[in-house]
Amino acid sequence: MRPSADELFDELTQLDLTLNAIAAQPGSADLSLQQSLQRHLRSLRIFLDIDAAQVLHDLADAAQRVLEAGDDTMVASAMRDLERMRALLDAMFRRQVAQASAA
């Protein structure tokens, strides 16, 4: 059984909360945030087509770079990548849900 659109958006909301916490603590290397991010990734994979899965992977890389950033330049670059990947993933999820609803 495929998860519902509500379940997808609930998980996406939880991911957003974790990503907001990561963005608020650049350079912290917070292990609990890293673990939360990994849990979300495992949960979200069941919802994804191959393209969205790659974007999710890129999003996780950007979030990890934010946590590990050592200076302001690295933080700024990682934050830009993180925001770009967040917007792209959100758009891909919405498209995927719309296609599933139309089917």
Side-chain angles (χ1 to χ4, degrees):
M1 183 169 134
R2 287 288 285 171
S4 71
D6 288 340
E7 290 172 306
L8 168 65
F9 285 112
D10 287 345
E11 189 60 39
L12 187 57
T13 298
Q14 293 303 311
L15 174 63
D16 279 340
L17 292 172
T18 298
L19 293 173
N20 289 341
I22 289 170
Q25 299 181 41
S28 71
D30 185 318
L31 183 59
S32 66
L33 288 175
Q34 292 174 11
Q35 291 170 337
S36 290
L37 179 62
Q38 291 306 313
R39 270 192 309 277
H40 295 308
L41 297 179
R42 284 190 301 274
S43 295
L44 284 168
R45 284 188 184 122
I46 62 172
F47 294 101
L48 304 177
D49 61 22
I50 191 72
D51 293 330
Q54 182 58 50
V55 172
L56 182 65
H57 176 75
D58 294 344
L59 175 96
D61 285 347
Q64 189 65 38
R65 287 197 333 272
V66 169
L67 285 171
E68 296 172 351
D71 61 46
D72 291 343
T73 302
M74 290 173 66
V75 168
S77 175
M79 292 290 281
R80 277 192 307 274
D81 290 345
L82 180 61
E83 288 308 311
R84 186 169 39 96
M85 290 298 107
R86 285 177 85 168
L88 183 56
L89 186 64
D90 185 62
M92 291 182 92
F93 275 146
R94 291 180 189 284
R95 183 204 69 210
Q96 191 172 318
V97 167
Q99 288 173 344
S101 296

